[in-house]
Amino acid sequence: MPEKTARDITFVTCTAPVNIAVIKYWGKRDNDLILPVNSSLSVTLHQDQLKSTTTVACSAHFKEDRIWLNGKEENINQPRLQSCLKEIRRLVRKRRSDGDTSTDVLSLSHKVHICSENNFPTAAGLASSAAGYACLVYTLSRLLGVEGELSAIARQGSGSACRSMYGGFVQWHMGMQADGKDSVAEQVEPESHWPELRILILVVSAERKPVGSTAGMQTSVETSSLLKHRAQAVVSTRMDEMILAIRQRDFSTFGELTMRDSNQFHAICLDTYPPIFYLNDVSRRIISLVHRYNHHYRETRVAYTFDAGPNAVIYTLQQHVSEFVQVVTHFFPPETNGGEFLKGLPVGSVSLSDELTRAIGLEPLPKGISYIISTKSGPGPQTVEDTSLHLLGPDGLPKTST
Amino acid sequence: MPEKTARDITFVTCTAPVNIAVIKYWGKRDNDLILPVNSSLSVTLHQDQLKSTTTVACSAHFKEDRIWLNGKEENINQPRLQSCLKEIRRLVRKRRSDGDTSTDVLSLSHKVHICSENNFPTAAGLASSAAGYACLVYTLSRLLGVEGELSAIARQGSGSACRSMYGGFVQWHMGMQADGKDSVAEQVEPESHWPELRILILVVSAERKPVGSTAGMQTSVETSSLLKHRAQAVVSTRMDEMILAIRQRDFSTFGELTMRDSNQFHAICLDTYPPIFYLNDVSRRIISLVHRYNHHYRETRVAYTFDAGPNAVIYTLQQHVSEFVQVVTHFFPPETNGGEFLKGLPVGSVSLSDELTRAIGLEPLPKGISYIISTKSGPGPQTVEDTSLHLLGPDGLPKTST
């Protein structure tokens, strides 16, 4: 329920999750509506470890729409932000013209103040814009009391944001319509479906990624002859196999498909002209480590996936987490006087057999990985009931700013 | 003319060149006959800088076929070596059964001693097996006095060896026949066609390549969904464009196609499962350097291509060589007490403008490149007339061995 203060400001605060694709989205068929060239599928990560938080305040006294991201005021006229605001307001108008007056607590002419922050570094390749736009759209919808196809609105902020509108395992259907109405996200299975699934984020570098994904995928669409083939001939079969693997909790198939799809995405980047590189030598060493580890056990126990940056996201099952973390720590010895190396869900400690480290047989690379975040799958966006957690103060301005 | 010694040993020594593909060969449709999934095209490098030398000796006194590579005796029963020997001898028999007796100087029952060496490090990613097999087949053909489709025989030693049978610009037609008779090399233009073309080999590392190309391409054929698409839908058009660019000496098109095809080959490697990586961070930095250099001049002045290893081969025109070498030296400062950084054809020295180095704007990486070999296109295999250069002594054994 939106909270009204003495100064007639209404506040709502929500959180939204990060998602990590296992069937990748790369390439738009419509740049304005953000319609993809292929469907994609992701796992929603738990918000206990990674989330965006957004407070939206609304008041008759506000003179203009404003937005603050991670403490810094940003330009509200950014086209994608405007798309989301416009689409949400259109949904409200439609609802009211349909005669539903239950939500008319707020005038559509009232301006909004938006304040958003992530509990993880932006632009570290952790899909911050997906969580951010999902959170914005969800918070606005709670404030204005609308429901409906919110994922199609989030999609217009940042394509993959539509997948952060649900928890668990989420497919973004590419859709066929020119207006994008059918390019929406759908939950394949909730997070409770596969409780043993674990996710480790291996943070390789917090440098800004060299080529932004928007510009990158645009160049790929224009220049890669392999991209079109992937979209038309590869993804659809792979999607069916992936959904089946998830339904059956078949980690071996899930893991192999995840790795193959990550590699194919980076292959498309390399086939782009000029080529785009997101993987670096540390990323490649992680890939090699994973294959050697799996080869040793003659089964796919861990799987990697990489987005538009060098960080690895590892999928595995609960029973393998502590050993694999130990393996990573062995082959990428952390900086001894750095911060904690392992964040997030606790991981038990085990000792490695010489046989295993010998079988992997890589040269250890000190400080190759900055830290690991241990997490699992979690729910979609949530409303924060504790009003003390609003990011905007009673005056409608950020409580903290930089 | 084969030389007979007092001990009734006949000697022939020949040299053969390295070739560097600009339309890459990756994937066989027949592993025994070495038939490729797509046609390819290469530039033959000049033997003044890089060559294989082979001496073959033949005598009624030899008890068995033997081979020495770079001073070390190797197993003559290696299947690909046997293929070449068998095919050459078949050609001789055919010639004789056709009634041509001009070449029956040697009995087919005589055994051969083969001694071969390269003037560059083997397995440094410089296609040593191509030059080696081309040289072997050419030398045997001179010894036994046969002509005919030698490239199809060299192909059975090492696929790309067929392209080293000619100088200049050489296409390997994939062919359609099951027996491989039409999978042969053909000269597109001789080396004299484009005298301004220059080639720089940037030796990044002399480490052995991680995955041999034979095993690598086999895995790609089995697992990459993009490889088949490349072979069926991409290469044929690109080949036509490449041949036209060469005929017209259109460097801009030649260079762009070369870079795109190199990138696509490495994309296929990445789409292979498990993925294959030949490029490392230094390779990627060279790619970035080339694109930034070209971007600064708003034209494609230099082009890179990479084979199954991290070394870059740069194509450019004579008028840009000295500046580009200076650029490479600036951004990859050589080890000061190492050997000479620039080998091969002399390169003039120029000073770089601040504007250019600023425009490139990369962080210099000391010792990223070990040395540069400067060369140009050259002729096909040659017979060495100077008998003092035979690699086998009068006893039919290597003059030097390790």
Side-chain angles (χ1 to χ4, degrees):
Chain A
M1 204 59 228
E3 181 219 11
K4 262 194 192 185
T5 64
R7 296 178 60 186
D8 264 349
I9 308 182
T10 310
F11 294 89
V12 177
T13 299
C14 300
T15 61
V18 165
N19 72 75
I20 300 290
V22 291
I23 302 278
K24 301 294 188 192
Y25 152 55
W26 194 252
K28 301 181 182 69
R29 63 180 203 276
D30 184 310
N31 288 315
D32 295 327
L33 291 171
I34 310 191
L35 302 177
V37 296
N38 60 262
S39 297
S40 53
L41 194 148
S42 56
V43 178
T44 296
L45 306 195
H46 204 289
Q47 296 176 51
D48 280 356
Q49 282 73 49
L50 300 163
K51 69 182 171 204
S52 276
T53 303
T54 299
T55 297
V56 182
C58 183
S59 166
H61 304 304
F62 290 166
K63 295 203 182 62
E64 50 181 1
D65 293 334
R66 295 176 73 181
I67 186 166
W68 292 262
L69 297 182
N70 294 312
K72 185 166 164 285
E73 183 155 17
E74 300 281 345
N75 180 6
I76 191 80
N77 293 314
Q78 206 250 92
R80 291 176 167 201
L81 211 46
Q82 287 297 316
S83 292
C84 290
L85 287 167
K86 203 180 65 190
E87 289 297 318
I88 275 277
R89 284 168 169 152
R90 191 205 307 270
L91 210 60
V92 176
R93 268 196 305 279
K94 181 169 178 301
R95 170 73 60 105
R96 294 184 187 175
S97 73
D98 288 352
D100 182 343
T101 56
S102 69
T103 62
D104 60 355
V105 286
L106 295 169
S107 166
L108 268 170
S109 63
H110 290 182
K111 300 299 180 188
V112 292
H113 283 188
I114 301 162
C115 189
S116 186
E117 60 186 37
N118 302 320
N119 68 346
F120 55 94
T122 308
L126 285 171
S128 59
S129 66
Y133 274 104
C135 203
L136 171 68
V137 169
Y138 188 79
T139 312
L140 285 168
S141 78
R142 291 305 87 133
L143 180 83
L144 298 168
V146 287
E147 296 186 344
E149 201 37 90
L150 300 176
S151 78
I153 300 178
R155 189 202 72 224
Q156 293 178 60
S158 173
S160 55
C162 70
R163 296 188 313 238
S164 278
M165 297 301 283
Y166 298 95
F169 303 82
V170 184
Q171 183 180 6
W172 172 12
H173 295 278
M174 62 175 289
M176 303 301 286
Q177 292 175 215
D179 64 4
K181 287 271 186 340
D182 57 348
S183 188
V184 298
E186 181 190 29
Q187 189 177 66
V188 172
E189 292 288 350
E191 61 275 21
S192 58
H193 167 73
W194 201 349
E196 302 81 13
L197 193 69
R198 284 291 178 280
I199 295 131
L200 300 169
I201 301 166
L202 277 43
V203 179
V204 163
S205 150
E207 284 172 45
R208 251 195 110 75
K209 54 194 179 187
V211 176
S213 60
T214 299
M217 68 175 76
Q218 176 69 17
T219 314
S220 290
V221 168
E222 287 162 6
T223 64
S224 168
S225 25
L226 303 183
L227 178 138
K228 192 182 274 188
H229 178 72
R230 162 173 166 77
Q232 291 175 349
V234 178
V235 170
S236 154
T237 311
R238 194 169 276 181
M239 181 66 80
D240 294 344
E241 293 168 355
M242 181 63 91
I243 290 174
L244 190 65
I246 291 168
R247 294 242 153 92
Q248 300 182 334
R249 298 181 202 93
D250 168 3
F251 186 82
S252 173
T253 305
F254 171 82
E256 181 171 332
L257 288 169
T258 295
M259 292 188 276
R260 281 174 178 266
D261 206 69
S262 173
N263 294 336
Q264 189 166 85
F265 153 51
H266 293 281
I268 300 295
C269 290
L270 189 39
D271 188 52
T272 299
Y273 189 81
I276 302 168
F277 298 102
Y278 291 121
L279 306 178
N280 65 20
D281 281 350
V282 175
S283 317
R284 270 192 304 287
R285 214 180 251 257
I286 294 168
I287 289 174
S288 178
L289 178 69
V290 167
H291 284 292
R292 285 162 185 239
Y293 181 80
N294 289 337
H295 182 75
H296 176 70
Y297 287 113
R298 299 289 188 278
E299 67 174 358
T300 300
R301 293 192 173 183
V302 292
Y304 54 79
T305 186
F306 294 82
D307 286 311
N311 295 343
V313 176
I314 300 289
Y315 287 99
T316 188
L317 295 174
Q318 191 166 11
Q319 67 261 38
H320 305 310
V321 168
S322 43
E323 184 178 78
F324 189 71
V325 165
Q326 207 56 49
V327 165
V328 170
T329 311
H330 179 90
F331 289 102
F332 296 94
E335 212 163 354
T336 46
N337 57 354
E340 56 176 350
F341 187 60
L342 186 74
K343 307 171 196 243
L345 292 178
V347 171
S349 95
V350 293
S351 63
L352 298 181
S353 71
D354 281 353
E355 190 198 349
L356 176 59
T357 53
R358 254 200 320 275
I360 292 174
L362 290 169
E363 190 70 28
L365 182 73
K367 303 176 205 170
I369 294 175
S370 310
Y371 59 91
I372 300 176
I373 303 169
S374 165
T375 185
K376 60 183 182 177
S377 185
Q382 309 280 310
T383 303
V384 176
E385 303 296 346
D386 181 349
T387 60
S388 74
L389 298 177
H390 290 323
L391 303 178
L392 293 166
D395 56 356
L397 294 174
K399 287 179 177 171
T400 57
S401 67
T402 54
Chain B
M1 207 54 227
E3 181 218 11
K4 261 193 190 184
T5 65
R7 296 177 60 186
D8 264 349
I9 309 181
T10 309
F11 294 88
V12 178
T13 298
C14 300
T15 62
V18 166
N19 72 79
I20 300 290
V22 291
I23 302 279
K24 300 294 188 191
Y25 152 54
W26 194 251
K28 301 181 183 70
R29 63 180 202 277
D30 183 310
N31 287 315
D32 295 327
L33 291 172
I34 312 192
L35 303 178
V37 296
N38 60 261
S39 298
S40 54
L41 194 149
S42 56
V43 179
T44 296
L45 306 194
H46 204 288
Q47 296 176 51
D48 280 356
Q49 282 71 50
L50 300 163
K51 68 181 173 207
S52 277
T53 303
T54 299
T55 297
V56 182
C58 183
S59 166
H61 304 304
F62 290 165
K63 295 204 181 61
E64 50 183 359
D65 292 334
R66 295 177 71 181
I67 187 166
W68 292 264
L69 297 182
N70 293 312
K72 186 167 164 285
E73 182 155 18
E74 301 281 343
N75 181 4
I76 192 81
N77 293 314
Q78 208 250 91
R80 292 177 166 201
L81 211 45
Q82 286 298 317
S83 291
C84 290
L85 287 168
K86 203 180 64 191
E87 290 297 317
I88 276 278
R89 285 168 168 153
R90 191 205 308 269
L91 211 58
V92 176
R93 269 194 306 278
K94 182 170 177 299
R95 170 74 60 107
R96 296 186 185 175
S97 73
D98 289 350
D100 183 344
T101 55
S102 68
T103 62
D104 58 355
V105 285
L106 296 169
S107 166
L108 268 169
S109 64
H110 290 183
K111 301 297 180 187
V112 292
H113 282 189
I114 301 162
C115 187
S116 186
E117 60 186 39
N118 301 321
N119 68 345
F120 56 93
T122 308
L126 284 171
S128 58
S129 67
Y133 275 104
C135 203
L136 170 67
V137 169
Y138 188 79
T139 312
L140 284 167
S141 78
R142 290 307 87 132
L143 180 80
L144 298 168
V146 286
E147 295 188 344
E149 200 37 89
L150 299 176
S151 79
I153 300 177
R155 189 201 72 224
Q156 294 179 59
S158 172
S160 55
C162 71
R163 297 188 312 238
S164 278
M165 297 301 284
Y166 298 95
F169 302 83
V170 184
Q171 182 180 7
W172 173 11
H173 295 277
M174 63 175 288
M176 303 302 285
Q177 292 174 214
D179 64 4
K181 287 272 188 336
D182 58 348
S183 189
V184 298
E186 182 189 28
Q187 188 178 67
V188 172
E189 292 287 349
E191 62 274 21
S192 58
H193 168 72
W194 201 349
E196 303 80 15
L197 193 69
R198 284 291 178 279
I199 295 132
L200 300 169
I201 301 166
L202 276 43
V203 179
V204 163
S205 149
E207 285 172 45
R208 247 195 116 72
K209 54 194 179 188
V211 177
S213 60
T214 299
M217 68 174 77
Q218 176 69 16
T219 315
S220 290
V221 167
E222 287 162 8
T223 64
S224 169
S225 24
L226 302 183
L227 177 138
K228 192 182 276 188
H229 177 73
R230 162 172 165 77
Q232 292 174 349
V234 177
V235 170
S236 153
T237 310
R238 195 169 274 181
M239 181 65 79
D240 294 345
E241 292 168 355
M242 182 63 91
I243 290 174
L244 190 65
I246 291 167
R247 294 243 153 91
Q248 300 181 333
R249 299 181 203 90
D250 168 2
F251 186 82
S252 173
T253 305
F254 171 82
E256 181 171 331
L257 288 169
T258 295
M259 292 188 276
R260 282 175 178 266
D261 207 70
S262 172
N263 294 336
Q264 187 166 84
F265 154 50
H266 293 281
I268 300 296
C269 290
L270 189 39
D271 189 52
T272 299
Y273 188 82
I276 302 167
F277 298 101
Y278 291 120
L279 306 178
N280 65 20
D281 281 349
V282 175
S283 317
R284 271 193 303 287
R285 216 180 250 257
I286 294 168
I287 289 175
S288 179
L289 178 68
V290 167
H291 284 292
R292 285 162 185 239
Y293 182 80
N294 289 337
H295 182 75
H296 176 70
Y297 287 112
R298 299 288 188 277
E299 66 174 0
T300 301
R301 291 192 175 184
V302 292
Y304 54 78
T305 186
F306 293 83
D307 286 312
N311 296 344
V313 175
I314 300 288
Y315 287 100
T316 187
L317 295 175
Q318 191 167 10
Q319 67 261 39
H320 305 310
V321 167
S322 43
E323 184 179 76
F324 189 71
V325 164
Q326 207 57 48
V327 164
V328 169
T329 311
H330 179 90
F331 289 102
F332 297 94
E335 211 162 353
T336 45
N337 57 354
E340 57 178 348
F341 187 60
L342 185 73
K343 306 173 197 240
L345 293 177
V347 172
S349 94
V350 293
S351 62
L352 298 180
S353 71
D354 281 355
E355 190 199 349
L356 176 60
T357 53
R358 255 200 319 275
I360 292 173
L362 290 168
E363 190 70 28
L365 182 74
K367 303 176 204 167
I369 293 174
S370 311
Y371 59 92
I372 300 175
I373 302 168
S374 166
T375 184
K376 59 183 181 176
S377 184
Q382 308 280 311
T383 302
V384 176
E385 303 296 345
D386 181 349
T387 60
S388 73
L389 297 177
H390 290 322
L391 302 178
L392 293 165
D395 55 356
L397 294 173
K399 288 179 177 170
T400 58
S401 68
T402 54

